[in-house]
Amino acid sequence: LREYVQVISAARERQLDQAELARFAVEALASGQPGERASGLRLVVVDDFQEATEAGFALLRALARRGVAVIAVGDPDVAANGFRGGETDVLGRLGDVLRIGEVRTLTLQQVHRHGAALRSVTSAVTDRIGAAAAGTQRGARAADRGDAGEGIERILATTPAREWAAIARELRERHLLHGVPWAQLAVIVRSRLQLEV
């Protein structure tokens, strides 16, 4: 490990990755180096906490030890950082992670991100998977946004080429037949490898 750190440090002398930066911040907080700036800090709010890794946990623990209040917001059902060390169940064990004992948990009763039709599709998927030490967020209902069907369609294709063709046809129809500007159309892909296609 020492050799690895030496090689990396020599290659990028004045650069730190996220984990290194967090480690230095934790050390600074533990030694009292930040001085007045850190002493004035009273609250840290972290969004998408389900994506956090150990480096982030360590930094928040150090801040909590200094008396800084921590509010963590997230939804384990939308976690996408597990392959990089994110812990999807962290919201359900926040007190243990921060080593502060009990925490107060609030669960929103309404989803404002999408309407009822998309909430139904989302629920059909999430109800079949584990709840990642939370689960109560699944009881939230969609806020009435007046977007009845939300344009949800399902494409079944026997090959990737047919899937791409069906998506392209759908986009052209939205543009040509329904007057949706190209700038308002998007295709979201899972990986960079799919972008060019």
Side-chain angles (χ1 to χ4, degrees), residues 41-172:
L41 188 61
R42 292 197 171 97
L43 172 68
V44 172
V45 180
V46 184
D47 193 11
D48 287 330
F49 194 61
Q50 74 279 353
E51 307 294 0
T53 62
E54 183 54 41
F57 303 156
L59 181 57
L60 290 174
R61 271 194 296 273
L63 289 167
R65 278 195 295 272
R66 291 183 66 106
V68 176
V70 175
I71 296 177
V73 180
D75 181 351
D77 285 335
V78 299
N81 200 26
F83 69 99
R84 287 190 177 144
E87 300 180 22
T88 58
D89 65 342
V90 71
L91 287 158
R93 53 189 184 81
L94 183 60
D96 293 335
V97 168
L98 298 181
R99 298 184 186 138
I100 57 173
E102 274 193 53
V103 297
R104 183 173 172 208
T105 301
L106 300 173
T107 303
L108 299 181
Q109 300 303 308
Q110 279 193 319
V111 174
H112 297 277
R113 196 174 283 188
H114 49 255
L118 188 53
R119 184 68 181 158
S120 175
V121 172
T122 303
S123 295
V125 173
T126 57
D127 287 349
R128 295 188 312 232
I129 59 176
T136 55
Q137 79 280 0
R138 293 184 179 170
R141 299 284 170 236
D144 182 15
R145 297 175 4 148
D147 46 2
E150 295 180 285
I152 296 173
E153 294 185 32
R154 183 177 180 184
I155 296 174
L156 295 175
T158 55
T159 67
R162 288 184 177 163
E163 179 184 34
W164 305 329
I167 292 169
R169 183 172 45 257
E170 180 65 30
L171 291 171
R172 281 190 304 271

Side-chain angles (χ1 to χ4, degrees), residues 8-58:
I8 294 298
S9 296
R12 48 182 186 83
E13 189 177 331
R14 296 180 181 262
Q15 296 177 14
L16 300 174
D17 66 19
Q18 184 266 343
E20 291 170 320
L21 185 60
R23 189 186 69 205
F24 287 132
V26 168
E27 289 172 5
L29 286 165
S31 69
Q33 288 177 22
E36 291 181 22
R37 283 188 191 171
S39 63
L41 188 61
R42 292 197 171 97
L43 172 68
V44 172
V45 180
V46 184
D47 193 11
D48 287 330
F49 194 61
Q50 74 279 353
E51 307 294 0
T53 62
E54 183 54 41
F57 303 156

